[in-house]
Amino acid sequence: MSGQYAHIMTADEAVALIEPEQTVMIGGFVTVGSPHTLIDALVRRGTRPIRLIVTDNGFEDRGIGRLIVNRQVSQEFVSHIGLCPETGRQMAAGEMDVTLVPQGTLIEQIRASGAGLGGVLTPTGLGTAVEQGKPKIQVDGREYLLEKPLRADVALIRAYRADRQGNLVYRRVMRNFNPTMATAARLTIAEVDEVVEVGDLDPEHVETPFVYVDILVGCVIR
Amino acid sequence: MSGQYAHIMTADEAVALIEPEQTVMIGGFVTVGSPHTLIDALVRRGTRPIRLIVTDNGFEDRGIGRLIVNRQVSQEFVSHIGLCPETGRQMAAGEMDVTLVPQGTLIEQIRASGAGLGGVLTPTGLGTAVEQGKPKIQVDGREYLLEKPLRADVALIRAYRADRQGNLVYRRVMRNFNPTMATAARLTIAEVDEVVEVGDLDPEHVETPFVYVDILVGCVIR
Amino acid sequence: MAADRDSRRDWIARRAAMELRDGDVVNLGIGLPTTVAGFVPPGIRVVFQSENGVLGLGPRPAPGDEDADLIDAGGGYVTVVPGACFFDSAAAFNMIRGGHIDVAILGALQVDELGNLANYIIPGKRVPGIGGGMDVATGARRVIGVTELMASDGTCKLVPRCTLPLTAAGEVNLIITDYGVIEVTPEGLVVQELAPDVQPEDLTSRTAARLRFIRKL
Amino acid sequence: MAADRDSRRDWIARRAAMELRDGDVVNLGIGLPTTVAGFVPPGIRVVFQSENGVLGLGPRPAPGDEDADLIDAGGGYVTVVPGACFFDSAAAFNMIRGGHIDVAILGALQVDELGNLANYIIPGKRVPGIGGGMDVATGARRVIGVTELMASDGTCKLVPRCTLPLTAAGEVNLIITDYGVIEVTPEGLVVQELAPDVQPEDLTSRTAARLRFIRKL
C-alpha cells in the first residue's frame, strides 16, 4: 500500500475488485487462518473463471472448497486437496487444471515472488513426479529443483488485528500462508477481527508491515 | 539445539568451543545487535585463523573490528568494511581474503543454508563486478545470479531475552542478521540480556525458536 | 504378533516412540504416526513440531477447550506446552527442509530397499495431494516409516522397488512394521528386531524385498 | 546557482524531496540523500524505510534520548513514528528487492546515459564495501540519484558511460544535481529543469554525456 491509510471496505466491495481470469492467492490451512468472510463474498459474487494459489481447498462447505463447488476455479496451484473431493471430480472431468506442489516449495515460490527472487532451489521433489519438466541445478555437487516464483493479482488473507495503516498481527497458527501471500500480490486484501489506531500495535510485534496491505475488511464471525 | 534446555555458560567458556580454521557468523549491524561480550571474549582468547561471515566489521575498537585488528581473521564474506579501515589495510597487504557481498544477497545466502535451499537467484549485482564468476540463470525471460548458500560452524548472535530452552526475542533493530544466522550454523551461541523460565515468553512473539539455539551467554553491559 | 489390528498398530506406535531420544524435535505424519505421541516413554521429553506453524504441540484439548486458531497439520485441535512458539509456513518449512527436525515419523503406502517412500497417491483412489510430506521426508535428519506390513488388499508394503509415485527418494532410515523393525543401510535392508511371536519366515514369506537379519532373532 | 556548497546541496535535497508523493515508502542513502528527509513538503507524508530493519523512521533523537538499539542504516541514532515496525534483514531486503519501496534516493560517484549508477568504489581510496546499495538500486520502483555535478577533483559525475565499478545497471530514473534535474529515458538523458541561475551551456560545457532539453529552459 502506498497511501497513508489502508482502505476499509466491506467484503462485497473488496471482492468486486477481482476480475475474471485473475490469479488469486488465498491464505489458510485446513480453513484455519482462511479469510472466510472474503471467500463467502467471492462465492456470492460468483466471479469466474479465476485461478487460485492456495495450500489446500478446505472443505466443500467451508473455506476455499466453496469456490470449487461453485465452479469458479479454472486452474490452481495447491498442495493438498484431500478434504475437498469435488476438486478431484473436476480434475478427473478435465474441468480444472490442478498443479500439485509440495507445501514447502509452494510457500517459497510465493516468497520468492514477493522478495524479487528468481525462484527456489529446493531438494524437495527430487526423484519424484514433482521434478518432471523442471530444470535441475547443481550447486556444490548437490542437485536441486528450480521452482519458479508464483505471483498473484490479488491476495485474500486473514489476520487478527490491523492498524489503520495496514500493519498486521496474527494469532497462533492463523499465520500459515498469510504473511507471505501478503507480499506477493498486486493487491492485498486482509480480513481482520479488529482495526486499531496507528500507534496502537507494538512495533516489535507487527508481522506484516503495512506496505504489503491495501484493503482491510472486517471479519464476520460465523 | 536438541536438549531440553540450552546450555548456559560464560562468554569465555562459549568461545572456547570455536576452533582455528572454523567459519564463524557474527550478527550485528554497525555494532548494534552485535554480541559484544562474545566478541570481546573471542579477542581475549585469540583463536586464529578464523573465517567470518558478517554484514560489516564494526569499528576497529568496538565490535567485529577488534578481531580484525587482533589479526584473527584470515578470510571473510562481508558487505561493508568502511568503518574499519584496518580491513582495507590487511586486504591490500594480502593478509586477508575479503569477499564483498551485497547485503541483501548475503542475508539470503545465510537463509538458504539454514533453510536447506541450494542457493539464491537474485537480480542484485547483475551487470556489476559482483556477477563475475557466477552462473546466470534465466527464469521466464529474466536473468538472475545464482549465489550459493553460506554456512558456518558457529554463529555468535545477540538477542534481547531468552527462555531456558533457547527461544529468543529481539528488540528494535537489534534483529538485523541475528535471527537468520541462528539457523545456519552447526552451533549457535546467543548473548542475551536476560534468561527467563520456560513459559515466560509469549509464544506469539518468539522470533527464534529454540531448536536453533544451543548456548546462552549473559550480556555484559559495557 | 497381536491378532487384532488396533493392538498391532499400537505396537508399531509404541516401538516407534522408543526410537525417540530426550530433547528430540519430532514431526509426526497424519494417522498412525500421530498416535506415537501417546507412547513416548517416561523420562523422555520430546518436542513436536507441526508444519502449519507450531513448535511445542501438546495433547488434544478437552471438549469445549478448543481454540479455533490452534490446529495441527492434520487439522485436529491441539494445545501447546510451555515454551511453545508459533511461526508462519515459510519458517516452518525452513525448519523442516533445513535439517532442524531430528526425527520424522511418517506413514507409508510402500517403502523399499533403497529407503524410497511412497505415501501420497493410492492408484485408482482420489489424489489427496502432496502436503508437507515431501519436505518432511526430504528434510528431517532421521525418517522413520511406520506401517502395517500388509495393505488391506493383501499386498506387501515392503517392496524391492516402490511402484507407487514416490514421496521422497532414499530418505527413509528405519521402517517399523507390525512384523518387525527394519533398518535401511547402504547395503540394503537389515531386520533389527522382530515383533513379538513373529518368526523370520513370517516376514520373508510376505515380502519380495531382500532382507538380512542382524543376528539370530 | 548558489555559490556555496551547503546551499547547492540543500537545493538538491529540497528538489529531490519534491519528487515524493503522499504515502510513498522511501529509502534514503547515506550522506546527501539522508538530508532529503528534512525537506519533505508540508502536506506530504512519506514513510522512511531503512534496510537494517525499520519502517517508519522518525527524526534524530534529542541528545540523551538515544536508544542504543535504534539506528538507521547509516549508523546514526533515530526515532520511529507511530505505526512503525521492526523486522530482520531478510524481511528488510525482501521489501527492497521485491519492489515494495516506491522511491530510493541514492548518492552517486558517477551516473550515465543508460541510468547506470556507480556509488561504492572510489579508485585509489579505501573500498568501503557494497552494503545495501546494490539491492536498493536494483529493487526500488523509482531510483533518484542525487549528487553535485562536479566531483572534488574537478571531473564531472554525469558521464556517457560510467568508468567506475557499477552499483546497478540501468536502474536510475532521475538524476538531481546542483545544475539541474535530468531524466533517464529509453532515448537518453533529458534535462527537465535547470537549477536557479544555471544556463544550458553551464551544463553542456561540463559533461560529455549527451543531453536533450525538454523545452526552452
Side-chain angles (χ1 to χ4, degrees):
Chain A
M1 175 327 280
S2 289
Q4 181 164 356
Y5 293 114
H7 302 280
I8 298 181
M9 53 179 79
T10 67
D12 289 308
E13 289 166 346
V15 301
L17 300 168
I18 301 172
E19 293 174 15
E21 306 286 356
Q22 283 192 329
T23 298
V24 182
M25 289 176 178
I26 308 179
F29 186 105
V30 194
T31 76
V32 170
S34 289
H36 290 287
T37 309
L38 289 166
I39 293 170
D40 292 350
L42 187 53
V43 170
R44 271 197 302 279
R45 188 164 177 89
T47 311
R48 65 169 63 82
I50 56 174
R51 304 186 183 95
L52 289 187
I53 299 171
V54 294
T55 186
D56 65 65
N57 280 347
F59 302 97
E60 293 183 347
D61 61 352
R62 178 165 164 78
I64 294 154
R66 296 195 64 211
L67 293 163
I68 312 286
V69 169
N70 202 35
R71 300 186 169 271
Q72 292 176 251
V73 182
S74 59
Q75 188 184 354
E76 69 172 348
F77 288 87
V78 60
S79 188
H80 199 274
I81 56 177
L83 303 174
C84 178
E86 176 64 14
T87 313
R89 282 191 288 272
Q90 293 185 23
M91 281 172 75
E95 297 164 0
M96 256 179 86
D97 175 13
V98 176
T99 304
L100 292 173
V101 186
Q103 201 165 80
T105 299
L106 187 64
I107 188 72
E108 280 296 306
Q109 289 179 288
I110 297 166
R111 178 182 187 271
S113 162
L117 299 171
V120 184
L121 298 173
T122 180
T124 302
L126 281 173
T128 78
V130 166
E131 75 172 31
Q132 285 166 16
K134 292 172 187 165
K136 293 183 195 174
I137 308 278
Q138 291 268 349
V139 181
D140 289 338
R142 290 195 56 183
E143 196 163 64
Y144 299 90
L145 288 185
L146 170 54
E147 301 266 13
K148 293 182 182 180
L150 286 177
R151 190 152 194 84
D153 296 297
V154 181
L156 303 181
I157 68 164
R158 172 84 165 92
Y160 177 44
R161 298 173 87 198
D163 70 17
R164 287 169 57 84
Q165 274 188 135
N167 284 314
L168 302 181
V169 298
Y170 301 89
R171 185 173 179 281
R172 308 224 178 256
V173 298
M174 173 196 288
R175 289 169 173 84
N176 57 68
F177 274 54
N178 289 301
T180 308
M181 285 180 167
T183 70
R186 282 193 307 101
L187 181 78
T188 294
I189 304 170
E191 172 178 339
V192 297
D193 277 25
E194 192 183 0
V195 180
V196 301
E197 290 304 315
V198 172
D200 284 356
L201 295 180
D202 186 339
E204 302 286 359
H205 299 148
V206 170
E207 286 184 61
T208 293
F210 72 90
V211 297
Y212 295 116
V213 180
D214 302 283
I215 294 170
L216 297 172
V217 166
C219 169
V220 177
I221 310 288
R222 300 201 309 172
Chain B
M1 178 324 282
S2 290
Q4 182 165 355
Y5 292 115
H7 301 281
I8 296 180
M9 54 180 77
T10 68
D12 290 308
E13 289 166 345
V15 300
L17 300 169
I18 301 171
E19 294 175 15
E21 307 286 356
Q22 283 192 330
T23 298
V24 182
M25 287 175 180
I26 308 179
F29 186 105
V30 193
T31 76
V32 170
S34 289
H36 290 287
T37 309
L38 288 165
I39 292 169
D40 292 349
L42 187 54
V43 169
R44 272 197 301 279
R45 188 166 177 90
T47 310
R48 65 169 63 82
I50 55 173
R51 303 186 184 95
L52 288 186
I53 298 171
V54 295
T55 186
D56 64 66
N57 280 347
F59 302 98
E60 293 183 347
D61 61 352
R62 178 164 165 78
I64 293 153
R66 298 195 62 210
L67 293 163
I68 311 287
V69 169
N70 202 34
R71 299 185 170 273
Q72 291 176 253
V73 182
S74 60
Q75 188 185 354
E76 68 173 348
F77 288 87
V78 60
S79 188
H80 199 273
I81 57 177
L83 303 174
C84 179
E86 176 64 15
T87 312
R89 284 192 287 273
Q90 293 185 25
M91 280 173 74
E95 296 164 3
M96 256 180 85
D97 175 14
V98 176
T99 303
L100 291 174
V101 186
Q103 202 165 78
T105 299
L106 187 63
I107 189 71
E108 281 295 306
Q109 289 179 289
I110 296 166
R111 178 182 187 271
S113 161
L117 298 171
V120 184
L121 297 174
T122 181
T124 302
L126 280 173
T128 79
V130 166
E131 74 172 31
Q132 285 166 17
K134 291 170 186 164
K136 293 182 197 174
I137 308 277
Q138 291 267 349
V139 181
D140 288 338
R142 290 195 55 183
E143 197 163 62
Y144 299 91
L145 287 184
L146 170 54
E147 301 268 11
K148 292 182 182 180
L150 286 176
R151 191 154 193 82
D153 296 297
V154 181
L156 303 181
I157 68 162
R158 172 86 165 94
Y160 178 44
R161 301 173 85 198
D163 70 17
R164 288 169 57 84
Q165 272 188 136
N167 285 314
L168 302 181
V169 298
Y170 301 89
R171 186 174 179 280
R172 307 222 177 257
V173 299
M174 173 196 287
R175 290 167 173 85
N176 57 68
F177 273 55
N178 288 300
T180 308
M181 285 181 166
T183 70
R186 282 193 306 101
L187 181 78
T188 295
I189 304 171
E191 172 178 339
V192 296
D193 276 25
E194 192 184 1
V195 180
V196 300
E197 290 304 315
V198 172
D200 284 357
L201 296 180
D202 185 339
E204 301 286 0
H205 300 148
V206 170
E207 287 183 60
T208 293
F210 73 91
V211 296
Y212 295 116
V213 179
D214 302 282
I215 294 170
L216 296 172
V217 166
C219 169
V220 177
I221 310 288
R222 302 202 305 174
Chain C
M1 189 187 61
D4 73 289
R5 186 169 182 224
D6 281 353
S7 304
R8 283 182 284 127
R9 289 169 68 87
D10 278 359
W11 185 85
I12 294 171
R14 187 179 297 107
R15 184 61 189 76
M18 288 172 57
E19 293 294 318
L20 302 178
R21 299 290 164 259
D22 195 41
D24 274 352
V25 178
V26 180
N27 181 292
L28 300 178
I30 297 172
L32 175 56
T34 299
T35 69
V36 172
F39 294 105
V40 177
I44 301 290
R45 180 173 172 276
V46 298
V47 179
F48 294 105
Q49 192 252 23
S50 187
E51 63 264 29
N52 62 323
V54 55
L55 181 71
L57 287 171
R60 302 283 173 205
D65 286 350
E66 297 88 353
D67 181 329
D69 296 323
L70 187 46
I71 60 168
D72 63 13
Y77 289 113
V78 287
T79 58
V80 290
V81 300
C85 57
F86 302 107
F87 34 82
D88 70 5
S89 295
F93 281 98
N94 288 356
M95 196 179 284
I96 288 167
R97 203 181 34 231
H100 310 287
I101 302 295
D102 297 302
V103 182
I105 301 179
L106 302 174
L109 295 170
Q110 285 183 332
V111 60
D112 73 18
E113 293 173 359
L114 300 175
N116 292 327
L117 174 69
N119 77 355
Y120 80 108
I121 293 182
I122 308 176
K125 296 204 181 177
R126 277 203 315 269
V127 178
I130 294 170
M134 283 195 179
D135 295 284
V136 172
T138 303
R141 289 188 202 167
R142 188 154 187 256
V143 176
I144 300 176
V146 293
T147 181
E148 294 168 76
L149 185 68
M150 307 305 289
S152 52
D153 65 0
T155 60
C156 186
K157 294 173 154 197
L158 184 64
V159 291
R161 290 292 180 279
C162 289
T163 53
L164 297 176
L166 293 190
T167 300
E171 298 286 357
V172 175
N173 303 103
L174 194 72
I175 305 162
I176 301 180
T177 76
D178 47 348
Y179 283 71
V181 179
I182 300 148
E183 191 182 354
V184 182
T185 77
E187 290 76 38
L189 300 178
V190 180
V191 181
Q192 298 284 355
E193 179 183 331
L194 291 169
D197 304 324
V198 171
Q199 301 305 316
E201 301 72 36
D202 296 331
L203 194 46
T204 53
S205 66
R206 283 175 171 78
T207 179
R210 288 183 51 180
L211 298 174
R212 289 189 301 131
F213 289 79
I214 190 71
R215 58 183 117 71
K216 190 156 177 66
L217 288 167
Chain D
M1 189 186 61
D4 72 289
R5 185 169 183 224
D6 281 354
S7 303
R8 284 183 284 128
R9 289 168 68 87
D10 278 0
W11 186 84
I12 295 171
R14 187 178 298 109
R15 185 60 189 75
M18 286 173 57
E19 294 293 319
L20 303 178
R21 299 289 164 260
D22 193 43
D24 274 352
V25 178
V26 180
N27 182 292
L28 300 178
I30 298 173
L32 176 55
T34 300
T35 69
V36 173
F39 294 104
V40 177
I44 301 290
R45 182 174 172 276
V46 300
V47 179
F48 293 105
Q49 192 253 23
S50 188
E51 64 264 29
N52 62 322
V54 55
L55 181 71
L57 288 172
R60 302 281 173 207
D65 286 350
E66 297 88 354
D67 181 328
D69 295 325
L70 186 47
I71 61 168
D72 63 13
Y77 290 113
V78 287
T79 58
V80 290
V81 299
C85 57
F86 302 108
F87 34 82
D88 70 4
S89 295
F93 282 98
N94 288 357
M95 197 179 284
I96 288 167
R97 205 180 33 231
H100 310 288
I101 303 295
D102 296 301
V103 181
I105 300 178
L106 302 175
L109 296 169
Q110 284 183 333
V111 61
D112 73 18
E113 294 173 359
L114 299 176
N116 293 326
L117 174 69
N119 76 355
Y120 81 108
I121 292 182
I122 307 176
K125 296 204 181 176
R126 278 201 315 268
V127 178
I130 294 170
M134 282 194 180
D135 295 285
V136 172
T138 304
R141 289 189 202 166
R142 186 153 188 255
V143 176
I144 301 175
V146 293
T147 180
E148 293 168 76
L149 185 68
M150 306 305 291
S152 52
D153 65 0
T155 60
C156 186
K157 295 173 153 195
L158 184 65
V159 292
R161 290 291 180 280
C162 289
T163 54
L164 297 175
L166 294 190
T167 300
E171 298 285 357
V172 176
N173 303 103
L174 193 73
I175 306 162
I176 301 180
T177 77
D178 46 349
Y179 282 70
V181 180
I182 300 148
E183 190 181 356
V184 182
T185 77
E187 291 74 39
L189 300 178
V190 179
V191 181
Q192 298 284 355
E193 179 184 332
L194 291 170
D197 304 323
V198 171
Q199 301 304 317
E201 301 72 35
D202 296 333
L203 192 48
T204 52
S205 66
R206 283 174 171 80
T207 179
R210 288 182 51 181
L211 298 173
R212 289 190 299 133
F213 289 79
I214 189 71
R215 58 183 117 69
K216 189 155 178 66
L217 288 167

